[in-house]
């Protein structure tokens, strides 16, 4: 059974670094790519970046200078780190599996940037 | 970046009627393999996006036949037949033709 679950702090202070984890089960990170997508409250979806099954990464150019995606295949985890957070980074952050489609999504984790 | 532009619906839509949502891309979504990389999602309040169709018109596993995707090149449509209360939410188109992947701004469907 394929599952993805995001975890991380619910509150981050402005200018600090966000660290999120996507823990997957039911498949191997060496077989499938995982993407991160975020959604500010009441707004649309924004693609952030991808960890490919071979370890390659690709980022949204709008976030590239602040964003890093990595993984630990032994723990079935994909990590997102984004620095210099601002209030506009307040959003629900999702991870999703890329199998040519985007059928499987995590439940999302709400992150609020506030002092 | 490929810009995705979605049309609006004349909400609310009466239960049992049909609804069509349009989506335009700023560039052709046809890839060299001949497939057209356009997805449709439904996001119900408080839920993660649910994949409805991919490659323009292929329904995802478990999705009702009432949902049908069509289109080509840069113009796409999602038709929902005999709408039900459970179809309410925001519909997004997404292009996966090239990076960065981009979404439309969403189309809200309300049911009467």
């Amino acid at each position: 059974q394929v599952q993805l679950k995001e975890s991380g702090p619910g509150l981050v202070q402005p200018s600090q670094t966000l660290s999120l984890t996507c823990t997957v089960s039911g498949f191997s990170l060496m077989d499938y790519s995982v993407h991160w997508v975020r959604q500010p409250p009441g707004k649309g979806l924004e693609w952030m970046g991808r960890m490919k099954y071979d370890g390659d990464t690709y980022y949204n150019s709008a976030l590239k200078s602040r964003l890093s995606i990595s993984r630990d295949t032994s723990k079935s985890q994909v990590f997102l780190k984004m620095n210099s957070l601002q209030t506009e980074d307040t959003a629900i952050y999702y991870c999703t599996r890329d199998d040519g489609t985007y059928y499987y999504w995590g439940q999302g984790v709400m992150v609020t940037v506030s002092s | 970046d490929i810009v995705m532009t979605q049309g609006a619906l004349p909400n609310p839509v009466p239960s049992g009627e049909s609804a069509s949502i349009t989506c335009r891309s700023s560039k052709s979504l046809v890839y060299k393999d001949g497939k057209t990389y356009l997805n449709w999602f439904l996001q119900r309040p408080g839920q993660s996006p649910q994949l409805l169709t991919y490659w323009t018109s292929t329904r995802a596993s478990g999705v009702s036949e009432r949902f049908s995707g069509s289109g080509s090149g840069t113009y796409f449509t999602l038709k929902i037949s005999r709408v039900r209360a459970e179809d309410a939410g925001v519909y997004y188109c997404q292009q996966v033709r090239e990076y960065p992947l981009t979404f439309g701004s969403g189309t809200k469907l309300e049911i009467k």
Side-chain angles (χ1 to χ4, degrees), chain A residues 35 37 39 43-47 50 58 60-61 94 98 100-103 105-108, chain B residues 1 39 41 43 47-49 51 54-55 60-62 92 94 96 99-103 105:
Chain A
H35 297 237
V37 174
Q39 184 173 38
K43 296 190 177 180
L45 300 163
E46 178 184 29
W47 179 81
R50 172 216 76 194
Y58 199 99
N60 187 325
S61 59
Y94 297 99
D98 176 2
T101 71
Y102 296 85
Y103 185 85
W105 291 66
Q107 64 192 20
Chain B
D1 299 1
N39 298 336
F41 294 89
Q43 189 175 34
Q47 295 188 16
S48 304
L51 179 69
Y54 58 96
W55 299 341
S61 176
Y92 293 95
Q94 177 203 32
V96 293
Y99 288 106
L101 308 187
T102 47
F103 293 88
S105 57

Side-chain angles (χ1 to χ4, degrees), chain B residues 65-88:
Chain B
E65 292 182 350
R66 297 185 299 104
F67 293 89
S68 61
S70 62
S72 62
T74 63
Y75 187 78
F76 306 92
T77 303
L78 177 72
K79 182 178 179 180
I80 311 163
S81 302
R82 304 180 303 281
V83 298
R84 302 177 180 173
E86 68 208 48
D87 301 334

